[in-house]
Amino acid sequence: MAKFTYKIEISANSESEAITKMKSLTVLATKLTVKEIEKLADIIKNDPIKTAMAKSALGV
């Protein structure tokens, strides 16, 4: 699989928080398919009930 490099901006309260977010996003991008990432993003953006249920199930 090819690798692509992008320059992005992440909103965070500190640089360490931004680094943690980026590392977490990298794991998600590596472990999930494009279809799964799209569905996850759509649910987070448009379905607050499912998002709240998922957060509850994850303990966050």
Side-chain angles (χ1 to χ4, degrees), residues 5-36:
T5 302
Y6 292 91
K7 182 177 179 178
I8 66 168
E9 292 183 16
I10 296 177
S11 298
N13 292 324
S14 66
E15 185 174 4
S16 64
E17 184 179 300
I19 290 168
T20 300
K21 283 183 173 185
M22 193 63 232
K23 286 180 181 179
S24 299
L25 290 170
T26 302
V27 170
L28 292 174
T30 302
K31 298 292 184 175
L32 299 176
T33 66
V34 171
K35 186 175 181 178
E36 292 167 338

